[in-house]
Amino acid sequence: MAAIRVGVNNGTGKIYANVTLSTFGRGHFKRHGLDVELVELGGRREMVPLLAKDELEVASQGPSYEFFAALDPQKPMVMTADHGSAREGRGGAGGIVARPDMIQSGKLRDFKDLRGKRIALSPKKYDHDWVTIGAALKRGGLTFDDVQVVTMDFGGGRHEGIVNGTIDIATVDRPASIKEAKDSGAFIVWKYDYEVRPGRQQRTVMFGHKFAAERQDEAQRYVTAFLEGLREYYDAFEHNVNRDAIIDVLAKECGDPRAVVEESPPAGLDPNGRLNKEGIGEDLRWYQEGGFLPWTLTLDTVIDEHFLEHSLAELGPYRPPEVR
């Protein structure tokens, strides 16, 4: 049996695959007879094209521009299950960040206070930070014309820009970066993702076309194993069941210090694994209305729930610990 190659981010971004990592580390895939190989890659820009070419079977990525742009409508990659969305107190550490003094002085309280601020944004207008900041501006009755856009790619340059005052606002996702900046006083999260775009589908379980179409038995067992792992993760952070054990597994699998994992808001999950179609649709509309995609897509092309439905029929609907 060929290995199932599962793409996960490398370095400090590996924690983005939190539910996959805990499912893997707790042995759920092995119990379902699956040979899962975690392949560490440099994020969506490297990972999604490999999934599109069937050089990966599975990836834990979001409904990004890279996903929609790389997709062949005749042989599509598909999103099959929830891997985390922005829910209150959940959805990872990422969000919009600013210097502590800007927040403490009252210069930045509500979304309308973004007016006139210098905001770091990717050179690529289809990148996810444009979607996030666009949503924040809309909540304040503003547009990009009301702020100063400073073109700057993701990474350390943004962090330095906030510290030295050349920019006021940026988006930061990586939990390790958030914790390091918080500890040093460089910047803190002003608004988490769930405050900017409640319900945003941040990550999904994505299958390559060949895996979904030609290895359906393995694909089905993968979703069932993943749903078991998702529910275990959900119970740990929602009901405090084996929470320490799950944190230990995550720290081991992602390589981050335990303190980073423990302080990072966990993934916001539907314990039945269902995707937020409305949130995915909002992202797709952004890219299509912006003219970034070469074709018009519908959600039916990119979402395949039949594996999840079979898994739910096998495992039954989620029941909280107190009623089991």
Side-chain angles (χ1 to χ4, degrees):
M1 180 176 61
I4 299 172
R5 297 162 296 185
V6 180
V8 297
N9 286 43
N10 59 12
T12 57
K14 194 174 182 182
I15 197 173
Y16 295 153
N18 42 28
V19 187
T20 293
L21 296 178
S22 63
T23 303
F24 178 85
R26 297 279 288 179
H28 291 285
F29 294 127
K30 281 188 177 180
R31 280 194 289 276
H32 283 268
L34 300 172
D35 179 13
V36 168
E37 174 189 350
L38 300 182
V39 182
E40 296 186 34
L41 297 162
R44 67 190 185 282
R45 293 174 183 169
E46 182 180 358
M47 196 181 305
V48 172
L50 294 179
L51 188 71
K53 293 187 290 187
D54 294 305
E55 295 179 22
L56 293 173
E57 280 68 54
V58 185
S60 57
Q61 289 292 318
S64 64
Y65 164 79
E66 285 79 7
F67 171 78
F68 294 118
L71 187 140
D72 179 349
Q74 303 304 314
K75 298 179 180 179
M77 307 172 281
V78 289
M79 293 179 269
T80 65
D82 183 23
H83 200 293
S85 60
R87 303 167 187 260
E88 186 171 356
R90 299 290 183 260
I96 300 173
V97 302
R99 291 187 306 280
D101 65 275
M102 181 173 289
I103 297 171
Q104 293 160 1
S105 67
K107 293 179 181 178
L108 190 61
R109 292 179 178 172
D110 204 351
F111 291 102
K112 66 179 184 295
D113 297 328
L114 291 170
R115 184 185 296 277
K117 299 297 189 292
R118 296 164 297 174
I119 302 179
L121 287 166
S122 167
K124 302 177 178 67
K125 288 190 176 182
Y126 51 73
D127 262 333
H128 59 82
D129 59 341
W130 283 85
V131 183
T132 298
I133 295 297
L137 293 171
K138 184 176 180 180
R139 290 173 73 88
L142 306 173
T143 71
F144 286 105
D145 291 335
D146 296 306
V147 300
Q148 299 179 52
V149 173
V150 180
T151 301
M152 187 179 293
D153 211 343
F154 302 99
R158 293 189 180 194
H159 306 175
E160 294 171 9
I162 291 177
V163 172
N164 64 31
T166 57
I167 60 173
D168 301 314
I169 302 290
T171 63
V172 175
D173 285 335
R174 299 199 175 204
S177 298
I178 296 285
K179 186 177 188 305
E180 180 181 342
K182 179 182 176 183
D183 290 346
S184 68
F187 56 80
I188 58 176
V189 176
W190 171 58
K191 297 289 185 184
Y192 284 102
D193 276 350
Y194 70 84
E195 298 175 281
V196 181
R197 295 182 61 200
R200 171 196 170 203
Q201 187 71 57
Q202 296 170 314
R203 292 189 175 264
T204 74
V205 178
M206 293 179 175
F207 284 174
H209 178 74
K210 282 189 176 180
F211 185 61
E214 299 178 10
R215 298 171 64 180
Q216 292 197 9
D217 175 66
E218 291 172 272
Q220 184 59 69
R221 282 185 281 141
Y222 187 97
V223 172
T224 300
F226 180 82
L227 186 56
E228 290 176 350
L230 179 153
R231 288 177 171 179
E232 187 175 60
Y233 181 104
Y234 183 88
D235 281 345
F237 293 104
E238 298 297 333
H239 300 288
N240 203 31
V241 177
N242 294 326
R243 183 176 182 273
D244 286 341
I246 297 299
I247 290 174
D248 287 339
V249 167
L250 287 170
K252 176 185 176 183
E253 294 296 336
C254 75
D256 281 345
R258 194 181 194 280
V260 171
V261 177
E262 194 162 21
E263 288 188 22
S264 176
L269 296 166
D270 181 326
N272 288 311
R274 297 197 183 279
L275 294 161
N276 178 1
K277 293 183 181 179
E278 182 179 349
I280 296 170
E282 287 180 4
D283 284 327
L284 180 55
R285 280 192 297 276
W286 170 274
Y287 302 125
Q288 294 194 144
E289 290 174 0
F292 300 125
L293 300 180
W295 43 60
T296 299
L297 298 171
T298 66
L299 290 185
D300 289 341
T301 304
V302 299
I303 294 176
D304 183 350
E305 294 184 307
H306 90 272
F307 293 113
L308 181 62
E309 295 299 342
H310 280 289
S311 295
L312 288 170
E314 178 182 345
L315 300 177
Y318 173 78
R319 295 183 297 164
E322 61 268 20
V323 299
R324 291 176 192 167

